[in-house]
Amino acid sequence: MDPTILAYIVQAVGGAVGGNILGAVTRGGGGLLGRTVIGALGGLAAGYASGNVEAVGGITAMWSNLIEGDNGVHLANLITGAAGGGILGLIAGLLIRPRA
């Protein structure tokens, strides 16, 4: 599998998990499916930002040193995606509320 596509998949999975957790805390975000999609998009956006924004890339580079080898890169992508998805999931959870 292409390493670039694998990185995006890992970031999307991390974002979906982070978005679901923080979206569920605020009891919003468009339900399980909405929080999953919003979190995955947030994870991909964070991964894109880490490659193109120097300040974000410096932070995410520290996470790859937690484990040696390729697994460190995957862990850094997972944490990056979870952080981006969590932030976007929190925002969506606060803005998208169910009707009462």
Side-chain angles (χ1 to χ4, degrees):
M1 180 176 278
D2 185 21
T4 306
I5 293 175
L6 182 61
Y8 289 140
I9 291 171
V10 171
Q11 290 165 358
V13 168
V17 171
N20 271 316
I21 291 172
L22 286 178
V25 167
T26 58
R27 296 184 180 173
L32 182 64
L33 182 62
R35 288 191 303 261
T36 302
V37 170
I38 289 170
L41 290 175
L44 290 173
Y48 181 78
S50 70
N52 294 317
V53 178
E54 186 177 339
V56 179
I59 294 171
T60 59
M62 292 186 301
W63 295 329
S64 63
N65 295 330
L66 295 174
I67 299 176
E68 296 293 325
D70 289 338
N71 289 333
V73 174
H74 297 313
L75 179 65
N77 286 329
L78 187 69
I79 293 172
T80 301
I87 291 168
L88 202 59
L90 180 65
I91 292 168
L94 293 172
L95 293 178
I96 303 171
R97 306 299 298 177
R99 293 182 188 170

